[in-house]
Amino acid sequence: MASGKIKTIVKKVLVGLLVILVVIQFIRPAKNINIDPAPQDIAAVYPMPDSVHHLLQVACYDCHSNNTRYPWYDNIQPVAWWLNDHIKDGKKELNFSEFGSFNTKRKFRKLKKIASEIEEGEMPLDSYTWMHKDAVLTPAQKQMLIEWSKGLSQQIVMQTGYVDTPNVKRH
C-alpha cells in the first residue's frame, strides 16, 4: 500500500514539473537583434581588414554586439534565459556596436583587454565554442586578432596623443 502512495506522489510531481516546463515556454526574454547598421560599431568607426571583421562577427559579436545570431536551442526555456543573461554580461563588458561612443581611455583599455583575453585563451568562451564550432580560433586567427587590437590601440594613441597611466592610489 505504501508503494502505491509513493507512485501516486511521484506521478503528481512529474505532472507538476511537466506543467511548469510547458508554462515557462511562454515566458521569453527580449532578443538581442538589431538589423539597422550601428553607426558607432567598431567596423564603422575604424577601418579593419575583412578577415578581422569576419572573425569578430563569428567569434565575438553574438555576445559583444547589439545583434546576436541565435541558435535553435534558444527557443527552449530556461536555456533562453541563460543565454540572455550571458549576452547582457558580454555587452556590459564590451559592446562592439557602441565602441565608437567610448572615450579614448576606455577604447584603449578595451583593446588591450581583447588582446590579453585572446592571448590567455579566455575568449571566446569554451561554453560558446562547444556549440559554435566556427568560433574556435586557430593560432593564426588568434594572432591576427591580437595584432589587430594592439595595432588599433596604437593608432588611437597616435591620433589622440593618449597616454595610458595606471591607476595610482594616493595615501
Side-chain angles (χ1 to χ4, degrees), residues 31-158:
K31 294 204 178 216
N32 183 49
I33 298 176
N34 187 353
I35 57 172
D36 297 327
Q40 295 297 322
D41 189 272
I42 192 168
V45 177
Y46 295 103
M48 66 178 67
D50 289 340
S51 55
V52 169
H53 191 230
H54 173 73
L55 288 177
L56 291 176
Q57 288 178 317
V58 169
C60 309
Y61 270 44
D62 282 346
C63 297
H64 296 284
S65 79
N66 292 336
N67 197 22
T68 300
R69 298 171 301 144
Y70 284 94
W72 65 268
Y73 52 84
D74 170 63
N75 293 311
I76 302 168
Q77 303 306 339
V79 174
W81 298 335
W82 177 78
L83 285 173
N84 188 53
D85 284 342
H86 190 78
I87 292 165
K88 281 183 180 178
D89 290 345
K91 285 173 61 175
K92 187 185 329 177
E93 184 62 33
L94 171 63
N95 187 339
F96 285 112
S97 297
E98 298 173 7
F99 191 87
S101 67
F102 297 173
N103 66 39
T104 302
K105 178 180 179 179
R106 186 171 182 206
K107 288 177 186 177
F108 182 82
R109 295 211 170 152
K110 291 299 179 185
L111 288 164
K112 278 178 59 174
K113 190 164 185 179
I114 290 169
S116 69
E117 297 260 333
I118 295 170
E119 284 174 331
E120 295 167 10
E122 298 293 320
M123 285 289 161
L125 294 175
D126 289 339
S127 60
Y128 181 75
T129 58
W130 291 334
M131 295 300 288
H132 300 86
K133 296 300 180 193
D134 56 340
V136 176
L137 301 174
T138 66
Q141 290 171 324
K142 288 179 184 181
Q143 192 59 38
M144 182 188 322
L145 288 175
I146 291 165
E147 289 174 7
W148 164 78
S149 64
K150 288 180 177 180
L152 182 53
S153 66
Q154 288 307 309
Q155 177 185 335
I156 289 170
V157 166
M158 298 300 287

Side-chain angles (χ1 to χ4, degrees), residues 17-30:
L17 288 174
L18 182 61
V19 168
I20 290 170
L21 187 62
V22 169
V23 169
I24 68 172
Q25 299 313 304
F26 297 99
I27 305 168
R28 299 181 178 273

